[in-house]
Each structure stands twice: as structure tokens, then as C-alpha cells.
Amino acid sequence: MDAYGTDSDARRGPDGPGGAPDPGEAPEASGPSEPDGSLEAGGPSEPDGSPEADGPREPDGRSDLDGSPAADGGPKRIAGSKRIAGPDTGGADLGAWPPAGAAPAPAPAPAPAPAPDSTSASTSDPGPHLAPRTGVAALSPRYQIGAALALAVVAVVVCVHVGMVFLHVAPANTLTKAHGKAIDDWIYPEFEQNWKLFAPNPLQQNIALQVRAEVQAKNGELRTTGWYDLSAEDGRAIDGNLLPSHTQQNELRRAWDFFVATHDSTNRSTGLRGTLSESYLRRIVMLRLDRDDVSGNGGVIEQVQVRSRTTNVPPPKWSTEKISDKPMDRVLPWWPVTAADTDGGAE
């Protein structure tokens, strides 16, 4: 056994463990060489006279054990490899590299790419993405029908309201004469229209509504209060208020307009609505006086008197128009207060 752990009688090829054979040792010939110069498993050395067969190795001392290419251009030999020959291998040199000139071994075929997992593909790539439905389309059919009906009802109500307002502000015609009461019931009091702003001669007066009361004190003494400016109180409540109530803006003004429209200049009723306008105005006045605690502790309001004070709006400085700045008062008679005019009676 030599230093490479092989039997001494094992045949050595041209690239064996010791490199090229010694110059004085003739290679064993067991048969004729192949015509193309390749060696069989135990055949003689190449007849082409390569340096490995009949000459010493290169003077630089390189060996095929260090992985450098062989002198004849053959494949490298990895250092530390062994050739093993034995009965179980049939005498073949398993560690021998193919001789020079032999066809190179075919490259291994690349491993096939793994088939994509159907489960992961279905989760990672869901296919064409559909935009989510929004609005009414996102509702179930039952709720879609409900939403459609609600929209239809709203549309009908809006159309009816626009038609009522048009008939209210339009000149007298057949429809307003036949259905005037229904139109007024729809418009008043919330949707009242004041078209005086667009009249040829718009309103240029300030009208303040004032009231005073006759109070019977707890000891039976009667006293008359001063004038309470109810319009000024509403003005102070509206001033600086971004969302003033409908009551603060229109309740007192509408009550006075209602009274004026149903009474003549002598404060006499001109129709069936005259008594209703008096009761309406009187109840509003009593609510305001009670809010200001006019009756005092234990006092009772016996009667009230209302007046309107009208003043002209002064013209601009550049105008040459001359108008009177003297207020004009319209004083109503004293109205006795009944239980129906108080807060409890109104309920």
C-alpha cells in the first residue's frame, strides 16, 4: 500500500496520485491503445507522447492534486481524492478522472420549478379586483327599496311646497280663489313670505311694539307700570346670535301685522279674524310680561294696553329727501286679562 492508501499493484493513470509516472518506469501495457489516444480502465499510456506519459512533470512542481489543470488540458483533479479499486467495484478505478480527449459529462439538467400552490395563489392573487359598492348600491335590496320610497316622498313634499309658495305669492287667480284656505294653512306661520323687500317702495319704517299693565298688588293697591319695549327685547336677543330663533325674529312682528290687517284705523275689527288676532296678540304680551315679572310678588295683572311706535328710517346723507323723524304712536284700548290669556290658560 502506497502513501495514498491504494494497493501497490493498482494501476495508475496519467493523472494519478503521484502525477506523471517516473521516467525510468515503463507503464504497464495490457493492450493496444485506442486510435484517438484515450485510455481504457487499465490500458497503456497515451501514444501521443504527452509529457505526462513519457516525461517528468513540469519544473514548477505543480501537481494535479492542488486543483490546477493537467498538463494536457484535461480536467482538474481535486486535491485529496482517492482511487479505490476492489472486488466490489469490478476492478474499475472509481476515482479516476476521464482521460484527455474524452467527451465531457453532460451538465445536469436544471431542477424543474416547483408548481405554484393553488391555495397560496388564490389568497395572494385574488384575480380582478372589483371596486366596493358605496351609497345606496351598498344596501341590501330591501333597504334600497326603502331608500327609494323615502326619496320619492321627499321629492313629492318639495314639489308641493314649491307649488304652495308660488300660489301664495302669485297674483289672485282661479286656484288661489278656490284653494286659498288650504294655501294659507300650509304657509302660515312657518313659511310666511314677505315680498315687501322687492316692492317698488320697500318698507322704510321701524315699528316697535310696546306694552304696559295695570297691576293689583297683594294689598289691593292698583298701579300702572311704564311702557315695556318688547321689540327692543327681541332685538337684544337677536344681536350677536348666529342662530336666532323664529320666535325672536317673527312672533311679535307677525302678531302685530295680523292685528293691523284685520282692524281699521280706529282699531275696530273688519272681519271674523279680528277677535282671533286680538287674542293672539294679548297672549303674546302676557307671556312677555310674566317673563319680566311685572306683577311682582303676589301681584296680579288686571289689564294691559298695547301701542305701536313707528319711526321713519332716516335717508342716507347723500339723499335730498326730507322726512319727519317724529315717532307716530298707535295706542290700543285697555284689554282686560282673562284666565285664557295667562300661561296656564294658554295650555
Side-chain angles (χ1 to χ4, degrees), residues 76-124:
K76 298 184 196 176
R77 175 170 177 80
I78 300 174
S81 63
K82 298 179 180 180
R83 282 191 284 247
I84 303 174
D88 55 345
T89 61
D93 191 357
L94 299 180
W97 287 81
D117 190 0
S118 60
T119 304
S120 61
S122 62
T123 56
S124 61

Side-chain angles (χ1 to χ4, degrees), residues 2 4 12-22 57 63-65 77 83:
D2 57 12
Y4 295 95
R12 284 180 273 179
D15 55 347
D22 294 335
R57 54 184 168 181
S63 173
D64 58 353
L65 293 178
R77 175 170 177 80
R83 282 191 284 247

Side-chain angles (χ1 to χ4, degrees), residues 153-203:
V153 171
V154 171
V156 170
V157 172
V158 170
C159 292
V160 170
H161 178 70
V162 172
M164 289 292 189
V165 173
F166 172 77
L167 294 175
H168 175 70
V169 300
N173 53 65
T174 305
L175 288 176
T176 56
K177 291 178 181 179
H179 306 286
K181 187 178 183 304
I183 295 173
D184 291 342
D185 292 341
W186 181 277
I187 295 297
Y188 293 110
E190 296 295 333
F191 307 118
E192 175 227 349
Q193 304 294 313
N194 184 4
W195 291 84
K196 294 181 181 179
L197 179 63
F198 306 100
N201 186 20
L203 188 63

